[in-house]
Amino acid sequence: MDSFAPTKEDKFSFGLWTVGNPGRDPFGDAVREPMDPCYIVQKLAEIGAWGVNLHDNDLVPFGASASERDRIVGDFRKAVDASGMVVPMATTNLFTHPVFKDGAFTANDPKVRAFALRKTMDAMDLGTELGASTFVFWGGREGAEADACRDPRDAVKRFRDAINFLCEYVRDQGHNLRFALEPKPNEPRGDIYFPTIGHMLHFITTLDHPDMVGVNPEVAHDTMAGLSFSQGVAQAMEAGKLYHIDLNAQKIGRYDQDLRFGSEDLKQAFLLVRLLEGTTGRPCYDGPRHFDAHAYRTEDEAGVWDFAAGCMRTYNILCERAKAFDADGEVQDLLKDQESWEIDPLLQSYSRDNASKIRGLDLDPAALSRRGLGYERLDQIMIEYILGVRG
Ligand code: GLT
Ligand code: MN
Ligand code: MN
């Protein structure tokens, strides 16, 4: 029995657009044939995935008639049920059609914004019909190149109005949907509004129904901006706002590569899995482990399934590595090695008593400065776990 083989309990999901990616890029045409969504579901189930996610137009072509839509959705529903899969998340494509060239919810033309709202309401009905409980918003076109085209404050307000409108729509319909907002710094726009996890977390606090809304961070997006993804995700978890996650890999400073999970920056991938799986003993993330990535353009269909299996296998290997690392006695000793834990409670809240106790402490900055912290040793042990030579 392969202990790294994915099971349903791992909650691994893929978007139809990920394994279905035909390998088109700005410089070259598709290299793979389109795959039927029903076939994708069946193949994902075979390789051990748990869920499949979709944009409205990954399944129902833009402009399809109502009867065509119902037939396609009915067939897909049957394929999902027959393969024992679930549809945990749905979203709207608000970026491919030229109508969204100036954005969707933030576009200057109110007719474009109305069209975006209508398309999203339809996509929410579709997601609900398929059983989704998370609805993702990736505002890929919500941005600008010619920044004078709108006051960014209007973009923020329009985006807020749209999310508030859609929260009310969901409540009015009785849909069981939570929203997950996905930040990205740039691409396809020169600059995208709400570029980081932190921008989104604050924006959520300004909504009418903040409890309905969290974030969907993506490895590639924070890494493009040179940020630490695990730190951003940790802040979202600490705020109780990690509603969904997009796992992939990325080199700093490049275009959005959406590579196989763990194929770049293994150390960040290790720290991320350690955080999500709570191997230090802290609560773990319990939502879908979703891969928003695609196979290299060099691959045929066999390479696509190698890619998908690789994402899940690497995640499980890193999880095993993180558990072993956190169970290592030397690691635990290094992490506990602070001399004065007993004063920690004094620092957690203000009272006159705490303030005066802090004033009375014997604090010797020179002695504190001289103390080595052992982080070189700690990091080397972590590297040896990642490299598989320890534990
Ligand atoms: C698109 C984008 C992703 C988003 C998807 C959801 S679509 O592939 O690059 O980051 O998560 O809209
Ligand atoms: Mn994504
Ligand atoms: Mn991406």
Side-chain angles (χ1 to χ4, degrees):
M1 168 64 188
D2 175 0
S3 61
F4 303 122
T7 67
K8 299 275 180 204
E9 286 68 50
D10 295 324
K11 284 190 163 180
F12 290 133
S13 61
F14 289 84
L16 283 180
W17 71 93
T18 63
V19 285
N21 182 295
R24 197 176 291 113
D25 73 16
F27 305 95
D29 293 337
V31 294
R32 294 182 284 268
E33 293 296 316
M35 278 193 267
D36 184 79
C38 298
Y39 173 72
I40 291 180
V41 172
Q42 179 206 323
K43 288 295 291 186
L44 283 175
E46 276 169 30
I47 63 170
W50 157 82
V52 62
N53 304 316
L54 64 147
H55 298 88
D56 46 359
N57 302 136
D58 297 339
L59 183 62
V60 182
F62 187 94
S65 69
S67 59
E68 207 182 335
R69 176 229 184 257
D70 290 348
R71 181 187 57 74
I72 293 169
V73 176
D75 288 350
F76 185 68
R77 172 95 255 181
K78 276 187 219 133
V80 169
D81 293 344
S83 55
M85 296 279 279
V86 294
V87 179
M89 177 272 261
T91 182
T92 332
N93 184 325
L94 296 174
F95 42 90
T96 299
H97 195 285
V99 69
F100 300 123
K101 65 188 176 189
D102 188 36
F105 301 142
T106 62
N108 281 348
D109 187 338
K111 281 195 173 164
V112 173
R113 281 183 264 140
F115 184 72
L117 273 184
R118 188 168 80 189
K119 194 171 192 292
T120 306
M121 289 188 283
D122 291 348
M124 289 177 158
D125 297 347
L126 170 65
T128 299
E129 193 176 332
L130 293 169
S133 56
T134 302
F135 202 88
V136 161
F137 291 82
W138 173 62
R141 297 269 176 210
E142 315 289 10
E145 293 79 28
D147 278 299
C149 73
R150 89 190 116 247
D151 187 320
R153 289 170 291 191
D154 290 335
V156 171
K157 179 183 183 305
R158 288 174 191 165
F159 199 73
R160 180 186 301 114
D161 289 346
I163 299 295
N164 283 339
F165 186 104
L166 292 163
C167 281
E168 295 298 351
Y169 177 72
V170 161
R171 289 159 65 89
D172 194 29
Q173 298 297 306
H175 288 343
N176 171 37
L177 285 177
R178 299 202 297 183
F179 297 179
L181 310 181
E182 179 174 345
K184 185 173 182 183
N186 59 275
E187 195 198 314
R189 300 311 296 270
D191 291 287
I192 297 178
Y193 304 122
F194 312 106
T196 69
I197 298 170
H199 287 80
M200 284 300 190
L201 287 175
H202 171 263
F203 171 73
I204 290 167
T205 68
T206 72
L207 295 170
D208 289 347
H209 298 289
D211 291 351
M212 290 176 67
V213 186
V215 291
N216 177 40
E218 172 173 319
V219 176
H221 298 178
D222 276 47
T223 308
M224 286 165 74
L227 302 175
S228 160
F229 188 63
S230 56
Q231 288 188 10
V233 170
Q235 187 171 355
M237 288 174 88
E238 208 269 341
K241 287 294 175 194
L242 187 65
Y243 286 11
H244 200 265
I245 192 158
D246 279 1
L247 301 166
N248 55 23
Q250 171 77 28
K251 284 191 177 165
I252 288 181
R254 309 250 166 127
Y255 66 94
D256 187 18
Q257 294 176 299
D258 293 336
L259 299 167
R260 187 180 75 258
F261 181 68
S263 62
E264 300 287 342
D265 199 344
L266 270 177
K267 195 165 163 178
Q268 264 298 320
F270 173 90
L271 289 166
L272 176 63
V273 173
R274 179 176 185 245
L275 178 71
L276 294 175
E277 300 302 323
T279 60
T280 59
R282 306 280 289 265
C284 66
Y285 163 71
D286 65 0
R289 278 72 169 163
H290 174 241
F291 298 104
D292 183 10
H294 51 75
Y296 302 136
R297 193 163 179 270
T298 49
E299 301 309 289
D300 60 7
E301 190 192 318
V304 169
W305 304 119
D306 286 341
F307 144 82
C311 286
M312 298 187 284
R313 186 172 170 79
T314 299
Y315 189 100
N316 281 346
I317 293 170
L318 288 171
C319 181
E320 184 272 334
R321 294 283 76 202
K323 281 181 186 155
F325 173 74
D326 282 314
D328 186 305
E330 192 180 352
V331 170
Q332 291 175 359
D333 288 346
L334 280 162
L335 291 175
K336 266 197 271 148
D337 187 26
Q338 299 291 338
E339 283 156 3
S340 34
W341 279 117
E342 69 284 353
I343 71 161
D344 204 46
L346 293 181
L347 317 178
Q348 293 179 21
S349 63
Y350 174 80
S351 67
R352 285 190 182 171
D353 189 40
N354 280 354
S356 91
K357 282 184 178 144
I358 288 170
R359 287 218 162 85
L361 289 172
D362 176 20
L363 303 175
D364 177 354
L368 291 171
S369 317
R370 275 193 300 274
R371 197 170 165 258
L373 299 181
Y375 295 167
E376 280 289 357
R377 180 71 192 141
L378 179 69
D379 198 76
Q380 178 64 23
I381 296 173
M382 189 178 84
I383 292 296
E384 294 193 10
Y385 270 98
I386 296 172
L387 293 175
V389 296
R390 179 163 169 148

